[in-house]
Amino acid sequence: MDGMSKMDILLVGAGGREHAIAWKMMQSPLAGKLYWAPGNPGIPQAIPVAASTPRELADFAESHGIGLTMVGPEAMLCEGIVDLFRERGLRIVGPDRKAAQLEGSKAFAKEFMARHGLPTGKAQVFTERESALKYLDQVGAPIVVKADGLAAGKGVVVAADRETARAAVESCFEGAFGKAGSRVLLEECLEGEEASILALCDGKTIIPLASSQDHKRAYDGDRGPNTGGMGAYSPAPVVTPERMETIRQRILLPFLRGVQEDGLYFRGIIYAGIMMTQDGPKLLEFNVRFGDPETQAVLARLDSDLVEALASTADGRLSEVKLEWSPDPAVCVVMASQGYPGAYPKGLPIQGIDQAEAAGCLVFHAGTRRREDGVLVTHGGRVLGVTARAATVRQAVEKAYQGVSLIHWDGVEYRRDIAYRALNREK
Ligand code: AMP
Ligand code: GLY
């Protein structure tokens, strides 16, 4: 791109999503040094940074002449890291504190959707237990109970019956999700297949990324508790070109107009969680960041320069960007610790990553740690995202699972059916 020169980069976060972002950024001729706060062992060339608050990170960016800061997780965006960087004239990708409420407060997001006519399930917000329970008695089940605020993906209960719904409402008001539970949304239960549409948005232009789908439940066949995501693939065949056009017209462009009309500062990634219902696509939620593990599968297919795209987003010059994608599908299988999403052990030695890479997989680190003796050990619930790209979904699945079979630690768990919906369609 004209006038853009090599820049040192600060990346914030420690998960598989951030490893994928870092991996893609390092391919760019525009990437100088990569500083990673706090980072993980996935990219040995990245320089670990201890700064952990928005202020410390801004100080670091200032003193190290960082040309581009990219934030993976939502919490710091909701705290206002973008506001702080902007005050200091530092280039950063993301929405400001107020716009980050699109993810940080489900009530704020619902009001935004209603104001700007974005299709979504009907919902009511309650601040009192009694009125929530009374409403529940009126409308019955199935219904979705959502704690209003960041609850690390755990504040949502899709209740098939009234008892489950009542219990979820009670536990929100009893503080199961901390402050996030002091307001509760009761939302119409939508039926259909889900997809994730991520897009770059600089407040003037919006560019969708390749579609994807994640697998939130812990066990095969979409059973068991919700997790941060056990795997993902891109593209999501349920998002046909026709449906994508509908999503653009009814969701992405109205989102952009809404940002403009409300005067929100949004130069980052908008993630629309969408249910493909019989009445067309409807929004389940907004996130204001890259998805994890969707990003691992999506970026594995990006042929364009990610540093250029993100810097242009931050500069408000997204209209100059064009993204190119590989037609080959990509699949990411998450390897997790025994017991995840509940309690799990840490510190177990991991073997076989080199072999999986030699078999053609990208192995993105999430919860890993390099011990002082150099041994790589497990250090979180989701440990690795084994990602493969191939000419067909079936081949990509086979290649990813071939990689998975070469990696081992005691008690490793993973789903065997990642991308099953796409495979069923390919038949
Ligand atoms: P959220 O954090 O709002 O994305 O909710 C997490 C998950 O709960 C979503 O990915 C859906 O699987 C499910 N969910 C959320 N809202 C609804 C809804 N209105 N109807 C059906 N399922 C939902
Ligand atoms: N994979 C879901 C999320 O990133 O929120």
Side-chain angles (χ1 to χ4, degrees):
M1 171 168 294
D2 290 349
M4 223 183 254
S5 47
K6 205 165 171 136
M7 60 193 92
D8 289 347
I9 296 168
L10 174 60
L11 175 65
V12 181
R17 161 183 57 202
E18 287 78 20
H19 184 177
I21 294 168
W23 163 79
K24 194 67 210 173
M25 281 178 152
M26 305 270 288
Q27 297 172 1
S28 167
L30 293 171
K33 287 188 196 134
L34 178 70
Y35 294 94
W36 197 3
N40 72 37
I43 301 218
Q45 312 89 295
I47 305 158
V49 175
S52 64
T53 65
R55 196 161 301 280
E56 285 168 7
L57 289 160
D59 290 345
F60 182 91
E62 215 160 48
S63 61
H64 287 72
I66 297 295
L68 178 68
T69 298
M70 173 70 209
V71 183
E74 61 276 14
M76 248 187 242
L77 296 167
C78 292
E79 271 176 55
I81 189 171
V82 169
D83 310 57
L84 191 63
F85 272 61
R86 286 186 67 210
E87 277 164 27
R88 301 210 198 165
L90 296 163
R91 191 201 254 154
I92 185 165
V93 187
D96 72 1
R97 183 162 187 253
K98 183 165 178 216
Q101 292 303 301
L102 286 168
E103 174 164 2
S105 162
K106 292 188 189 291
F108 180 95
K110 277 284 180 192
E111 282 157 18
F112 177 93
M113 293 174 202
R115 197 160 51 244
H116 302 293
L118 282 75
T120 184
K122 285 191 208 66
Q124 294 257 8
V125 181
F126 296 92
T127 51
E128 280 163 21
R129 184 175 153 276
E130 286 315 315
S131 42
L133 292 175
K134 199 169 147 202
Y135 177 79
L136 199 59
D137 281 337
Q138 284 163 17
V139 297
I143 193 158
V144 184
V145 182
K146 298 185 174 185
D148 182 36
L150 291 182
K154 298 192 184 85
V156 175
V157 174
V158 181
D161 55 74
R162 204 174 294 204
E163 295 322 303
T164 312
R166 283 188 79 92
V169 168
E170 300 274 10
S171 72
C172 281
F173 283 111
E174 276 159 20
F177 307 108
K179 229 177 101 207
S182 57
R183 280 206 294 185
V184 172
L185 263 86
L186 294 180
E187 184 172 312
E188 172 194 359
C189 191
L190 300 173
E191 275 174 51
E193 191 173 329
E194 283 183 59
S196 306
I197 300 295
L198 284 68
L200 299 178
C201 176
D202 70 352
K204 292 174 279 186
T205 303
I206 190 160
I207 304 183
L209 309 186
S211 66
S212 57
Q213 197 170 59
D214 79 348
H215 297 65
K216 289 206 167 75
R217 301 298 195 95
Y219 313 132
D220 287 4
D222 293 325
R223 287 172 302 108
N226 263 324
T227 70
M230 296 301 289
Y233 60 101
S234 171
V238 68
V239 185
T240 57
E242 252 172 23
R243 288 190 177 129
M244 189 62 213
E245 184 52 27
T246 309
I247 291 169
R248 215 174 67 83
Q249 295 295 343
R250 295 204 201 144
I251 296 179
L252 299 181
L253 294 177
F255 163 79
L256 179 61
R257 276 197 297 275
V259 163
Q260 292 167 347
E261 283 171 24
D262 291 357
L264 296 176
Y265 180 89
F266 203 107
R267 292 188 179 180
I269 291 94
I270 183 75
Y271 164 143
I274 293 174
M275 187 74 91
M276 302 296 166
T277 74
Q278 290 203 323
D279 304 328
K282 292 196 178 177
L283 270 166
L284 294 170
E285 62 167 345
F286 277 130
N287 295 316
V288 297
R289 47 156 179 91
F290 278 113
D292 190 339
E294 289 96 325
T295 302
Q296 290 85 311
V298 168
L299 292 186
R301 302 181 54 222
L302 179 65
D303 285 335
S304 305
D305 185 325
L306 184 62
V307 174
E308 180 187 306
L310 293 176
S312 302
T313 303
D315 288 347
R317 303 204 317 180
L318 195 52
S319 61
E320 296 168 27
V321 170
K322 193 170 175 325
L323 298 180
E324 307 281 350
W325 300 93
S326 161
D328 293 352
V331 173
C332 168
V333 178
V334 169
M335 300 181 75
S337 294
Q338 187 168 30
Y340 175 77
Y344 50 82
K346 282 187 188 176
L348 301 166
I350 303 169
Q351 282 111 26
I353 291 182
D354 291 350
Q355 287 87 325
E357 285 173 346
C361 292
L362 290 160
V363 182
F364 294 122
H365 292 228
T368 68
R369 190 174 76 84
R370 178 112 13 226
R371 252 176 14 198
E372 271 168 27
D373 61 3
V375 174
L376 189 76
V377 297
T378 64
H379 194 59
R382 292 189 291 171
V383 177
L384 298 171
V386 181
T387 307
R389 208 174 94 177
T392 64
V393 181
R394 182 162 308 281
Q395 286 166 16
V397 166
E398 278 166 10
K399 194 163 151 188
Y401 279 106
Q402 165 71 15
V404 165
S405 74
L406 295 167
I407 297 175
H408 180 79
W409 67 86
D410 286 344
V412 52
E413 287 179 358
Y414 55 90
R415 278 181 60 162
R416 266 86 178 158
D417 65 347
I418 299 304
Y420 74 90
R421 285 200 180 84
L423 285 177
N424 288 344
R425 278 196 174 83
E426 224 176 47
K427 268 179 203 157

